[in-house]
Amino acid sequence: MVTSSQPVPPLGLTLSHLSHSYEMPSGARSVLDDVSLDVEPGEFIALIGPSGCGKSTLLRLVAGLETPDTGTLLADGASITGPDPSRIIMFQDPTLYPWRTVHSNISLGLDIRGEKNPEAVAAAIRLVGLEEFSRAWPHQLSGGMAQRVALARALINSPRMLLLDEPLGKLDSLTRLAMQTKLYRLWKSQGFTALMVTHDVEEALLLASRVIVFSPRPARILADIHVDWPEPRHREDPRLQSLRAHILEQLETGISPLATA
Amino acid sequence: MSNSQTIPASASPTASSATTGHLAFAPAVFWQWLAGPVWLLAALVTWKLPDRDDFPDTGQFAFLLFAVGLCLLALTAIGRLRERAPWALVLGLGLGAWEVMQAKFLLLPRPFFGTPQDLLDVFLTDWKRLGDSLLHSLLLLVIGYVSGSVLGIITGVALGRSHHIRYWVRPIMRLIGPLPPVALLPLTFVIFPSTRLAGEVLMALAAGFPVAVLTWSGVSAVDHAYYDVARTMGAGDRFLVLRVALPAATPQIFVGLFMGLGASFAMLVVAEMLGVKSGLGFYMQWAQGWAAYPNMYAALIVMSLMCTTLMTLLFKLRDHCLKWQKNGLKW
């Protein structure tokens, strides 16, 4: 259950030769093209690429919400065949259930599995600092608070891997900064592997231990960058600035594959 | 943290909608003190002015007006009449005017327009049969409506969730649904062993169709991400249908339930007038046949009270089920 003192063993991931396409009226549209990636347990990986390039599809495949056309996905060596509470996905929209209060939105995962654990729910609410709002309805929350509820709803499942599909994409810039810190601290304390899609290069370099740069659709991996300088990281850090410029250049051209940094 | 536009959790949605939705109507104290005396005046006129003909229960009617007048005065004194005062006043004026026009001066053609005491007499002498008719109507309506609604919701969810069921059921729905259930009346009276059962089936059909269509539309419109969220936490089909699709579609389902209730009312009256040998519709038909117009009016009043009560109950149920919504219509 969720307590900051009790980390879960993080999940490792092996993706090999993943390809995927969607049926469109105009024919099959390929979104992933031969993507292979190894994720060590406990890594924080940022996936960056032009919008619509297939990063979100990659997350859905890892979550088990869809199955790839070809290629294999292994979580800790076991094949991913469907969704599992150890791999929780979080979307750009909070997607809270409007008919449930904050409290019962957070306890969703427990309800689904028929578990009762009021202490865990209370702990999750405390973790995101929403004690006063536990009886509020989702429509009474601001965007940042709603996303924090979504975060607590994910964490109550003690996920071994958190799949973040641009979770901060729609927040205003101040809320966004606060949420980045929150997310980073939770990753540090809860011990899950994180896979985050983002369009914000700076955000990726601040939070992630590894940044994967994708080409335009169908997504191929252009670069795999280890961000290994120590914390705390600062936006003004010259290393961050130069790496940021480098990645942006990659995204603009999007053609020449770069060797692993 | 990011409490940019926080709203206190204690601010309940109902309270906020009540204050923003409509301003409270507060008539002057003058009006409140006038309501009771108007009824007392009406009582005095009824009692003292001689009747034009030999009407029953004039004394009882005068006493009723008198009693209501005293109650209104008492309510005013404890400050509970408030915004109801103008209505109470106008009602007293209306009853008094009706009494004077018809009972005292006979200004309207006789058999069709009765006096207030004629109507009161029906309630005083025929209340047993009226009550019995009400009970039969209610039973027929509730059995038909509830079974039709439940079947409608099940059908709607199935249509929204399953390709196979859509393939087989949709053409049938399209063929039978738009047909007014009244058109099936002769057929059902032939098919079913009792007219009562036939009435229930028709009522279920009348309620079931709008409920099924709106439930279907509600379930189809459910944000797919809602399912993804639950699935990633390990939810099975049962949870997805009962705890995600159904609550998400509830606002639409209630629209269907309201339409279905209206259709059931119509179907009830037609069924009772044309086949079922009990209930308020039957009573009205009988009263009209015997030119017992006061009885017909009395049945009409009882029926209207029944319909509005059921409608109110449905609104209460909706308000309870949809208390998570920001605001809604007040009945």
Short mmCIF file of all heavy atoms in Angstrom, two decimals, chain B residues 203-225:
data_model
loop_
_atom_site.label_atom_id
_atom_site.label_comp_id
_atom_site.label_asym_id
_atom_site.label_seq_id
_atom_site.Cartn_x
_atom_site.Cartn_y
_atom_site.Cartn_z
N MET B 203 -47.71 -0.64 -21.32
CA MET B 203 -47.08 0.40 -20.51
C MET B 203 -45.56 0.20 -20.47
O MET B 203 -44.79 1.16 -20.56
CB MET B 203 -47.63 0.33 -19.10
CG MET B 203 -47.70 1.64 -18.41
SD MET B 203 -49.33 2.27 -18.41
CE MET B 203 -50.22 0.89 -17.80
N ALA B 204 -45.16 -1.06 -20.35
CA ALA B 204 -43.73 -1.38 -20.33
C ALA B 204 -43.09 -0.98 -21.66
O ALA B 204 -41.99 -0.44 -21.71
CB ALA B 204 -43.53 -2.86 -20.06
N LEU B 205 -43.82 -1.22 -22.73
CA LEU B 205 -43.32 -0.88 -24.06
C LEU B 205 -43.20 0.64 -24.20
O LEU B 205 -42.20 1.16 -24.71
CB LEU B 205 -44.31 -1.42 -25.11
CG LEU B 205 -43.73 -1.74 -26.47
CD1 LEU B 205 -42.68 -2.83 -26.35
CD2 LEU B 205 -44.85 -2.17 -27.41
N ALA B 206 -44.24 1.34 -23.73
CA ALA B 206 -44.25 2.80 -23.83
C ALA B 206 -43.07 3.40 -23.06
O ALA B 206 -42.43 4.34 -23.52
CB ALA B 206 -45.56 3.36 -23.29
N ALA B 207 -42.76 2.85 -21.88
CA ALA B 207 -41.66 3.38 -21.07
C ALA B 207 -40.33 2.86 -21.58
O ALA B 207 -39.33 3.58 -21.60
CB ALA B 207 -41.86 2.98 -19.61
N GLY B 208 -40.31 1.59 -22.00
CA GLY B 208 -39.06 0.93 -22.34
C GLY B 208 -38.35 1.53 -23.53
O GLY B 208 -37.12 1.65 -23.52
N PHE B 209 -39.09 1.95 -24.54
CA PHE B 209 -38.43 2.42 -25.76
C PHE B 209 -37.59 3.67 -25.54
O PHE B 209 -36.38 3.67 -25.82
CB PHE B 209 -39.45 2.63 -26.88
CG PHE B 209 -38.83 3.15 -28.14
CD1 PHE B 209 -37.96 2.35 -28.88
CD2 PHE B 209 -39.07 4.44 -28.57
CE1 PHE B 209 -37.36 2.83 -30.03
CE2 PHE B 209 -38.47 4.92 -29.72
CZ PHE B 209 -37.63 4.12 -30.45
N PRO B 210 -38.17 4.76 -24.99
CA PRO B 210 -37.31 5.93 -24.76
C PRO B 210 -36.16 5.65 -23.80
O PRO B 210 -35.05 6.16 -23.99
CB PRO B 210 -38.26 6.99 -24.19
CG PRO B 210 -39.48 6.27 -23.79
CD PRO B 210 -39.57 5.04 -24.62
N VAL B 211 -36.43 4.82 -22.77
CA VAL B 211 -35.36 4.52 -21.82
C VAL B 211 -34.23 3.77 -22.52
O VAL B 211 -33.04 4.09 -22.35
CB VAL B 211 -35.91 3.70 -20.62
CG1 VAL B 211 -34.76 3.22 -19.74
CG2 VAL B 211 -36.88 4.53 -19.81
N ALA B 212 -34.58 2.79 -23.35
CA ALA B 212 -33.55 2.01 -24.05
C ALA B 212 -32.73 2.90 -24.97
O ALA B 212 -31.50 2.85 -24.98
CB ALA B 212 -34.20 0.87 -24.83
N VAL B 213 -33.40 3.75 -25.75
CA VAL B 213 -32.69 4.58 -26.73
C VAL B 213 -31.75 5.54 -26.01
O VAL B 213 -30.58 5.69 -26.39
CB VAL B 213 -33.69 5.36 -27.61
CG1 VAL B 213 -32.96 6.40 -28.43
CG2 VAL B 213 -34.43 4.40 -28.52
N LEU B 214 -32.23 6.17 -24.94
CA LEU B 214 -31.38 7.15 -24.27
C LEU B 214 -30.26 6.49 -23.47
O LEU B 214 -29.16 7.04 -23.38
CB LEU B 214 -32.22 8.09 -23.42
CG LEU B 214 -32.74 9.20 -24.35
CD1 LEU B 214 -34.17 9.55 -24.11
CD2 LEU B 214 -31.85 10.43 -24.28
N THR B 215 -30.53 5.32 -22.89
CA THR B 215 -29.46 4.60 -22.21
C THR B 215 -28.38 4.22 -23.22
O THR B 215 -27.17 4.38 -22.97
CB THR B 215 -30.00 3.33 -21.54
OG1 THR B 215 -31.07 3.67 -20.69
CG2 THR B 215 -28.92 2.64 -20.73
N TRP B 216 -28.81 3.74 -24.36
CA TRP B 216 -27.88 3.36 -25.43
C TRP B 216 -27.02 4.56 -25.81
O TRP B 216 -25.79 4.47 -25.88
CB TRP B 216 -28.72 2.85 -26.60
CG TRP B 216 -27.98 2.53 -27.85
CD1 TRP B 216 -26.63 2.35 -28.00
CD2 TRP B 216 -28.55 2.34 -29.14
NE1 TRP B 216 -26.33 2.07 -29.29
CE2 TRP B 216 -27.48 2.05 -30.03
CE3 TRP B 216 -29.86 2.38 -29.65
CZ2 TRP B 216 -27.70 1.80 -31.39
CZ3 TRP B 216 -30.06 2.13 -31.00
CH2 TRP B 216 -28.99 1.85 -31.85
N SER B 217 -27.69 5.69 -26.03
CA SER B 217 -26.93 6.87 -26.45
C SER B 217 -25.97 7.31 -25.33
O SER B 217 -24.84 7.71 -25.60
CB SER B 217 -27.89 7.98 -26.86
OG SER B 217 -27.74 9.11 -26.06
N GLY B 218 -26.42 7.20 -24.08
CA GLY B 218 -25.55 7.56 -22.96
C GLY B 218 -24.35 6.65 -22.86
O GLY B 218 -23.22 7.11 -22.67
N VAL B 219 -24.56 5.36 -23.00
CA VAL B 219 -23.46 4.40 -22.88
C VAL B 219 -22.49 4.55 -24.05
O VAL B 219 -21.27 4.46 -23.88
CB VAL B 219 -24.01 2.96 -22.79
CG1 VAL B 219 -22.90 1.94 -22.93
CG2 VAL B 219 -24.75 2.75 -21.48
N SER B 220 -23.02 4.84 -25.23
CA SER B 220 -22.13 5.02 -26.39
C SER B 220 -21.25 6.25 -26.23
O SER B 220 -20.16 6.31 -26.80
CB SER B 220 -22.96 5.18 -27.68
OG SER B 220 -23.86 4.15 -27.82
N ALA B 221 -21.76 7.23 -25.50
CA ALA B 221 -21.03 8.50 -25.40
C ALA B 221 -20.01 8.49 -24.27
O ALA B 221 -19.34 9.49 -24.06
CB ALA B 221 -22.02 9.65 -25.21
N VAL B 222 -19.88 7.39 -23.53
CA VAL B 222 -18.96 7.36 -22.40
C VAL B 222 -17.52 7.52 -22.91
O VAL B 222 -17.11 6.83 -23.85
CB VAL B 222 -19.08 6.05 -21.60
CG1 VAL B 222 -18.01 5.97 -20.53
CG2 VAL B 222 -20.45 5.94 -20.97
N ASP B 223 -16.80 8.45 -22.31
CA ASP B 223 -15.40 8.70 -22.66
C ASP B 223 -14.60 7.40 -22.54
O ASP B 223 -14.60 6.75 -21.49
CB ASP B 223 -14.85 9.76 -21.68
CG ASP B 223 -13.46 10.22 -22.06
OD1 ASP B 223 -12.83 9.57 -22.93
OD2 ASP B 223 -13.00 11.21 -21.49
N HIS B 224 -13.92 7.03 -23.62
CA HIS B 224 -13.23 5.75 -23.60
C HIS B 224 -12.11 5.68 -22.57
O HIS B 224 -11.75 4.63 -22.08
CB HIS B 224 -12.69 5.41 -25.00
CG HIS B 224 -12.92 3.98 -25.35
ND1 HIS B 224 -12.02 2.98 -25.05
CD2 HIS B 224 -13.99 3.36 -25.91
CE1 HIS B 224 -12.51 1.82 -25.44
NE2 HIS B 224 -13.71 2.03 -25.95
N ALA B 225 -11.59 6.86 -22.24
CA ALA B 225 -10.52 6.90 -21.23
C ALA B 225 -11.03 6.41 -19.87
O ALA B 225 -10.26 5.86 -19.09
CB ALA B 225 -9.99 8.32 -21.10
#
